[in-house]
Amino acid sequence: MLRPARPRRCGVRNRRRGSWTRKQRTSCKPRVRATAVDRGEERRTKAMTTGVMIGEVSLGEGHRTAIIAPVLGSSVSELSDQAVQAREAPVDILEVRLDHLLGEADVPFAQAEAAIMDALRAVRASAPSHPLLATIRTASEGGTWSVTDDVYAELLSAIAKSGLAEALDVEIARHPAAISSVLEATEASGIPVVLSRHYFEATPPREAMLAMLEYMTTLAPPQRAIAKLAVMPQCPEDVLALLSASLDAKKRLERPLITIAMGHLGRVSRLAGEVFGSDASFATVGPQSAPGSSAPAPSRSCLIGSFSFPWPTPVSRLKGRRGE
């Protein structure tokens, strides 16, 4: 009479005791290892649920502080040259400051859209692996170009529809109708926005800064918007107020933040921004975009840890420290 076959056991035969001892595996089913594609998809899913994706760069809870390098120039060739220089620096995102191109070159309004598209294409060709944040910083917020709300909204909407930038900076001090128009265009195009507010004259009270950050969260969904607040401190207490507001906002709000104190006093906010809730820092590759921007160092750790370490080029060694 044939005996039925014993089921396969997962374990090690204990010869001394004549029994089976289970070891590690509790099932006979083969273990499935996660592939690189699976892990990449898991990271992307986490980024989409806890932060904002600008290209392949994640900003938000659980992700390292991103480094953004502004690219400035009064001509397309200057923008391209800076993009090439930034391509070799340890930065994650390039902010294309289009207001310098439009303002310093005195581009007529009728030709502004064409000039913007040419500039974005040139920067994309010079640094194809870096996501682009397109910014038109108006004169009222420290930029170099004065423009009406209607033209501002029209140009930003055109950038959103073009697909030439991975993110768009939107000044929330503009007219509500202009902001709404731009946000509709970015939602239709599926690109995130940086909702920004700059105070170049002083630092608002702590509660006012916190209220401003909270207001930004009402303008767009959490997966598509980053709140940015930049202030000009007049004393160390102003820097502490910004850091305190940033930390409080990070605890209350479920979205990425960028909080910056400009100028020499504000350099510490870039140094300790990650600790107090800021998800990105700005570094200077070429001309400064804001007072106190730090020059990128040969490594990310040097950039985050020290603002006095210059980018090691012959020009920077001759000119001394940049961004102080």
Side-chain angles (χ1 to χ4, degrees), residues 124 234 287 300:
R124 167 73 67 220
Q234 305 298 319
R300 295 181 63 91

Side-chain angles (χ1 to χ4, degrees), residues 65-66 246 250 257-260 269 272-281:
T65 300
S246 176
K250 193 64 175 181
L257 303 175
I258 302 176
T259 52
I260 298 170
S269 69
E274 181 179 10
V275 178
F276 291 90
S278 185
D279 294 296
S281 181

Side-chain angles (χ1 to χ4, degrees), residues 21-193:
T21 302
R22 291 192 177 276
K23 186 177 181 181
Q24 294 181 350
R25 292 174 58 185
T26 59
S27 173
C28 296
K29 296 181 181 180
R31 182 178 297 175
V32 179
R33 295 183 178 274
T35 65
V37 175
D38 295 332
R39 289 190 294 269
E41 186 64 27
E42 181 180 353
R43 288 193 297 267
R44 181 180 293 273
T45 301
K46 180 180 179 181
M48 293 303 292
T49 57
T50 63
V52 175
M53 295 286 293
I54 297 182
E56 297 297 321
V57 180
S58 303
L59 277 74
E61 189 70 26
H63 304 288
R64 70 178 183 180
T65 300
I67 301 178
I68 304 174
V71 178
L72 297 78
S74 58
S75 66
V76 173
S77 61
E78 289 182 7
L79 288 171
S80 297
D81 293 342
Q82 281 200 35
V84 171
Q85 186 178 358
R87 186 178 60 192
E88 307 301 327
V91 299
D92 301 303
I93 301 169
L94 299 185
E95 181 188 30
V96 187
R97 283 288 301 272
L98 298 165
D99 52 292
H100 285 259
L101 173 69
L102 300 172
E104 296 179 12
D106 198 20
V107 176
F109 291 135
Q111 303 175 12
E113 182 176 339
I116 287 173
M117 301 307 168
D118 290 342
L120 291 174
R121 292 189 188 96
V123 174
R124 167 73 67 220
S126 299
S129 61
H130 286 72
L132 304 184
L133 166 63
T135 299
I136 301 177
R137 184 68 64 235
T138 61
S140 60
E141 298 248 343
T144 61
W145 200 46
S146 297
V147 60
T148 64
D149 290 328
D150 292 340
V151 174
Y152 178 80
E154 181 181 346
L155 293 177
L156 289 189
S157 298
I159 296 173
K161 297 174 183 177
S162 71
L164 294 175
E166 280 72 28
L168 202 61
D169 182 286
V170 181
E171 297 176 354
I172 65 167
R174 311 300 299 189
H175 193 278
I179 298 174
S180 178
S181 176
V182 175
L183 293 180
E184 289 178 3
T186 57
E187 183 176 5
S189 302
I191 68 172
V193 295

Side-chain angles (χ1 to χ4, degrees), residues 265-289:
L265 281 174
R267 291 172 64 196
V268 68
S269 69
R270 288 171 169 81
L271 176 65
E274 181 179 10
V275 178
F276 291 90
S278 185
D279 294 296
S281 181
F282 284 80
T284 300
V285 173
Q288 296 182 39
S289 62

